[in-house]
Amino acid sequence: GTAVVNADDPWTETLLKAVTVRRMTFGLDARADVRAKEIVCREAETSFTLHSPAGTGRVSISFPGEHNVRNALAASAAACALGAGITEIMEGLEAAEPLPMRFTVIDFEGGIRVVNDAYNANPVSMRAALDSLSLVESSGRRAAVLGDMLELGEETAKAHRQLGREASDSGIDLLIAVGRFAGELAGGAAAAGMASERVRAVGKAGEAADFLKGWIKPGDLVLIKASRGARLERLLQRLQDDGTLKGKER
């Protein structure tokens, strides 16, 4: 009997015209029923003040990035619709833990850090990962190994070119594009002004691993992300198996 909808989505007003049941909106929009203020993003957590019909409170979640605040607000709105109180909602948010391969930060010897976000990818989550990478502390260079985004239909080539432009604008030192659409991704980065020596397009994860083996140095940070079908986590396993990366996941 309740429609939980994203107040930040430009299509929300159009969609709500078809909704006749009770509405519960969430988002960063000041008009949302469930909203966040005073957001502070750090590497291992994000804190914000939660405002909702159930009450108000300061919350810390174990997920980096503003996009995860939106996710927390969606969950909070659903909880409000089901009649949960503010204490129950806050405790639920703070108890939530990240799942494997979803922006998992791994520390290796020599201060090398890898962000394993290889579980899945789409244009929005790729952009969020690149944005959130700036929150991860590193004393060295930053690289992004980005694989194919699948199931995008006619938008596939355009989406990969746009991702390349966003990667160029993110300030990373190296982009490795992996997979069937690596050329489109690398081309987008080049068109955005990323120097050719900072962009590499390869067909398979093993080729990306071979290149990283000769590139990576102590203190460097590497993001790994692609759609599930790409299985880009194999790159990380290969670098561990050959001794390039030594250490354990924190």
Side-chain angles (χ1 to χ4, degrees):
T2 302
V4 178
V5 292
N6 184 357
D8 298 332
D9 192 308
W11 286 99
T12 293
E13 290 300 322
T14 300
L15 293 172
L16 287 179
K17 292 178 181 178
V19 175
T20 58
V21 297
R22 177 192 177 205
R23 304 169 183 177
M24 180 73 70
T25 60
F26 69 89
L28 303 184
D29 190 303
R31 298 167 294 179
D33 298 315
V34 180
R35 57 195 183 278
K37 292 185 177 180
E38 296 90 35
I39 300 171
V40 178
C41 297
R42 298 187 177 90
E43 176 183 321
E45 68 171 15
T46 303
S47 61
F48 60 94
T49 301
L50 173 65
H51 295 265
S52 77
T56 300
R58 189 73 183 171
V59 182
S60 292
I61 57 175
S62 300
F63 302 84
E66 187 176 279
H67 62 290
N68 279 312
V69 175
R70 298 177 191 271
N71 292 335
L73 293 176
S76 300
C80 282
L82 293 169
I86 186 64
T87 299
E88 186 178 8
I89 292 172
M90 292 173 62
E91 289 178 348
L93 293 177
E94 294 189 339
E97 297 182 356
L99 295 172
M101 295 197 296
R102 293 181 185 263
F103 214 84
T104 303
V105 181
I106 309 172
D107 293 309
F108 294 99
E109 291 181 8
I112 297 173
R113 313 191 79 189
V114 175
V115 178
N116 184 357
D117 201 8
Y119 183 79
N120 214 341
N122 59 53
V124 175
S125 70
M126 282 285 203
R127 184 162 54 250
L130 288 170
D131 289 343
S132 298
L133 192 64
S134 64
L135 301 173
V136 183
E137 295 183 3
S138 171
S139 61
R141 301 165 298 171
R142 294 170 181 261
V145 183
L146 306 181
D148 288 342
M149 299 182 290
L150 305 177
E151 302 174 353
L152 297 179
E154 295 179 355
E155 295 294 312
T156 298
K158 178 182 177 181
H160 283 84
R161 287 195 296 271
Q162 177 60 27
L163 174 59
R165 289 190 286 270
E166 292 167 353
S168 175
D169 293 340
S170 70
I172 57 175
D173 299 287
L174 173 69
L175 169 64
I176 302 179
V178 185
R180 180 180 173 188
F181 308 109
E184 299 287 356
L185 207 167
M194 198 167 187
S196 59
E197 63 269 20
R198 295 169 51 206
V199 183
R200 189 171 184 87
V202 299
K204 298 181 180 180
E207 296 175 75
D210 290 341
F211 183 82
L212 276 176
K213 183 176 180 179
W215 181 87
I216 200 165
K217 297 178 180 179
D220 287 346
L221 171 66
V222 180
L223 166 68
I224 302 172
K225 188 169 180 63
S227 282
R228 182 84 301 269
R231 295 177 60 200
L232 204 55
E233 69 276 6
R234 292 176 296 177
L235 178 154
L236 177 58
Q237 187 61 55
R238 181 161 174 167
L239 291 175
Q240 290 178 281
D241 290 344
D242 68 17
T244 301
L245 299 177
K246 300 177 181 179
K248 295 182 179 180
E249 181 174 331
R250 73 178 184 185

